[in-house]
Amino acid sequence: MTFLIVRHTQCYLVVYSIWLVTRTGREKRLEQRQITTLACALGLLALSIIGLLASPSLSLALEKYGRPLPSMEQPDDAAAREAEETLFGGYFLTAAFVSNPTFAARPDNTGLVGLRHMLHLETDLYKQYLTFYTDQNFFSDRTKGWIESSEWDGTYAFTGLIDRWSWRLQYERDAPLDKSGIIQAYADALLTSRFQAKQDFSWWQRIFPNQNLTAYAGAGWLFHNSNYFARPDNTGSALFRYVAHADLDLYKNRVVLYGDMNFFTDREAGNKLNPSELDWIIGLALRFRDDMELSVYREQDQPLDKAGLVQKYVAVQLRYSFDVPKQFLKK
């Protein structure tokens, strides 16, 4: 019971702090009281993340779809994108799970992940309003030699940006590669609202010329679900998801602290709106080139409505991004 109370308190603190940040970000002119509110919200968010990191885990389960990563674009690139469509772009990443006591290497929770390789590709169908992207994730099993792939997660989605709002329609399929087993698949719709300190606060640039804070939060509905579970121990069936993400640019988009939270609810539970799982990640990214990034991050997936399996790991990751504008074809 104490475990559940602590977990729910942490979750409510995080959600409330992000709500405060988003609400404050809507105002173009800030008085001292609003600045104080923002400071309190950021403080709550920081304390909540620290609490999640410091709290004891029960033992084992993480979701292996591609996590939202900190953007490698400069803050002023969004306006340029409205006038310039991308022919194709994306990134390739490779990661080593340097510490992995429980993160499974297949959808049936067998094995332990050793390496992860991912290719992200996207193309603008109509400026930033309609984009198609795909993520192809491959995992290896450290208990079977690290090299041979044990799981393939494929994601295909349409997404778009309208002012501070973002929408997404996505299909994902997670399947084992080295043996037969459970295949997890779902399709969902997601809507999020975005906040950026440099754009929303006139005083931010003056006080923090080399820093920025970007955050978004929203909710989604898994309208199709085939074996996509509501907890890390593969119980229940996911119905709704609540997401929140924050990037804190510590210095000129070269050093970025980022965090991400993903809540799931269970369509088989009595209360279908109450979260049954929380997947969270916190990391530090270092950009030594405009197109290359080295990061260290920790992820943990845990049940919220009852004790059970907790999956967690720490990884070191190298990411290379690329972009080819449609204007390239005209040359």
Side-chain angles (χ1 to χ4, degrees):
M1 180 62 68
T2 302
F3 165 81
L4 294 178
I5 293 173
V6 171
R7 289 302 184 203
H8 278 80
T9 301
Q10 291 171 338
C11 296
Y12 292 147
L13 278 173
V14 170
V15 172
Y16 179 64
S17 60
I18 292 174
W19 174 80
L20 280 176
V21 171
T22 304
R23 181 187 179 191
T24 308
R26 293 175 184 153
E27 301 295 332
K28 296 297 182 181
R29 298 177 61 188
L30 290 180
E31 300 176 354
Q32 182 63 39
R33 184 175 61 180
Q34 291 174 298
I35 296 175
T36 303
T37 301
L38 175 65
C40 292
L42 295 177
L44 276 174
L45 182 58
L47 288 174
S48 301
I49 292 175
I50 293 171
L52 286 169
L53 288 171
S55 59
S57 58
L58 291 179
S59 121
L60 290 135
L62 282 170
E63 187 178 62
K64 295 171 286 296
Y65 66 85
R67 282 297 191 192
L69 298 172
S71 172
M72 297 183 77
E73 294 182 347
Q74 295 293 333
D76 297 332
D77 289 348
R81 188 178 176 188
E82 292 188 15
E84 181 71 68
E85 293 181 335
T86 296
L87 178 62
F88 69 88
Y91 54 81
F92 172 78
L93 64 82
T94 184
F97 286 43
V98 294
S99 174
N100 182 7
T102 55
F103 195 75
R106 297 172 193 85
D108 62 1
N109 281 350
T110 59
L112 293 172
V113 172
L115 299 175
R116 173 195 180 195
H117 310 294
M118 174 181 169
L119 176 64
H120 172 87
L121 289 173
E122 63 182 58
T123 180
D124 288 337
L125 302 179
Y126 182 65
K127 297 184 180 180
Q128 85 276 20
Y129 303 114
L130 181 60
T131 299
F132 172 79
Y133 73 82
T134 179
D135 291 334
Q136 303 300 320
N137 262 290
F138 296 89
F139 298 88
S140 72
D141 187 349
R142 67 200 299 142
T143 66
K144 291 192 173 182
W146 286 73
I147 303 301
E148 181 182 359
S149 295
S150 59
E151 180 177 341
W152 172 24
D153 300 350
T155 300
Y156 310 89
F158 290 98
T159 186
L161 299 171
I162 303 175
D163 193 23
R164 65 170 66 246
W165 296 95
S166 175
W167 62 271
R168 185 195 75 187
L169 290 174
Q170 176 174 282
Y171 172 79
E172 180 179 344
R173 180 180 182 272
D174 304 345
L177 282 177
D178 56 349
K179 64 177 184 179
S180 60
I182 295 174
I183 296 178
Q184 296 180 301
Y186 74 87
D188 77 348
L190 180 71
L191 181 66
T192 60
S193 179
R194 182 172 176 268
F195 152 79
Q196 189 173 85
K198 280 190 175 182
Q199 294 179 355
D200 295 329
F201 296 150
S202 59
W203 54 268
W204 183 279
Q205 182 71 33
R206 183 177 68 256
I207 301 177
F208 305 109
N210 297 318
Q211 291 77 36
N212 194 15
L213 173 65
T214 303
Y216 66 79
W221 168 41
L222 283 75
F223 55 86
H224 167 72
N225 188 335
S226 176
N227 292 326
Y228 207 78
F229 303 107
R231 296 173 195 83
D233 61 1
N234 287 358
T235 59
S237 178
L239 177 60
F240 297 116
R241 73 182 341 152
Y242 314 124
V243 301
H245 182 91
D247 297 333
L248 180 59
D249 179 2
L250 299 177
Y251 183 72
K252 294 184 176 180
N253 206 34
R254 294 293 182 180
V255 183
V256 179
L257 178 67
Y258 62 97
D260 185 78
M261 293 178 298
N262 198 7
F263 298 85
F264 289 97
T265 74
D266 187 355
R267 69 179 67 223
E268 298 175 357
N271 186 342
K272 294 176 172 51
L273 298 178
N274 191 45
S276 58
E277 178 179 345
L278 166 62
D279 304 344
W280 61 266
I281 183 171
I282 186 168
L284 183 67
L286 305 175
R287 279 78 182 266
F288 48 92
R289 282 180 15 184
D290 289 341
D291 58 358
M292 295 196 74
E293 169 189 281
L294 182 66
S295 62
V296 179
Y297 59 94
R298 180 189 174 184
E299 182 176 354
Q300 181 166 306
D301 298 350
Q302 60 197 58
L304 290 177
D305 56 349
K306 63 180 181 180
L309 180 66
V310 176
Q311 294 194 37
K312 58 184 178 180
Y313 69 89
V314 176
V316 177
Q317 177 175 283
L318 180 66
R319 180 165 61 136
Y320 169 74
S321 68
F322 53 89
D323 183 81
V324 179
K326 287 186 177 179
Q327 188 178 5
F328 179 79
L329 294 177
K330 302 177 183 179
K331 295 182 179 181

